[in-house]
Amino acid sequence: MFRAQEAEGISLWAFCQRHGLSYARVRFWQQRRSREQQPLSLVPVRVSGAALPDESGAGGLEMEVSGVRVQVREGASQELISRVVRALKESTAC
């Protein structure tokens, strides 16, 4: 939807008016989308031992973020990993 609005070259308000959308709701999702697209920062990683798959045969990695150890199994989406890391950072910022 946001790409369509940009392609039309009109303001978000005009786009919402044209398509019968709630400006407040669309603005909420636009802000949420921009927060989720913020670049991730790098964190130090320490590798110990060989990176071997676990007993199930699935590989993965283990990382520590803000003192919390997280195991990430092979196949986890980048979005999920990003959300977990962001949540951990936000929980320690309080």
Side-chain angles (χ1 to χ4, degrees), residues 13 15 32-33 36 49 52 54-55 58-60 63 72 78:
W13 175 260
F15 182 82
R32 184 167 177 188
R33 177 178 174 237
E36 291 175 354
L52 296 175
D54 63 13
E55 295 87 32
M63 64 182 158
V72 180
Q78 181 179 351

Side-chain angles (χ1 to χ4, degrees), residues 54 61-63 69-73:
D54 63 13
L61 65 95
E62 188 173 295
M63 64 182 158
R69 185 162 295 179
V70 179
Q71 281 190 333
V72 180
R73 300 283 182 215

Side-chain angles (χ1 to χ4, degrees), residues 29-71:
W29 285 109
Q30 183 184 47
Q31 290 172 339
R32 184 167 177 188
R33 177 178 174 237
S34 69
R35 277 195 311 263
E36 291 175 354
Q37 291 180 346
Q38 292 176 353
L40 296 177
S41 59
L42 298 176
V43 294
V45 175
R46 182 177 45 141
V47 178
S48 59
L52 296 175
D54 63 13
E55 295 87 32
S56 69
L61 65 95
E62 188 173 295
M63 64 182 158
E64 188 171 319
V65 178
S66 302
V68 177
R69 185 162 295 179
V70 179
Q71 281 190 333

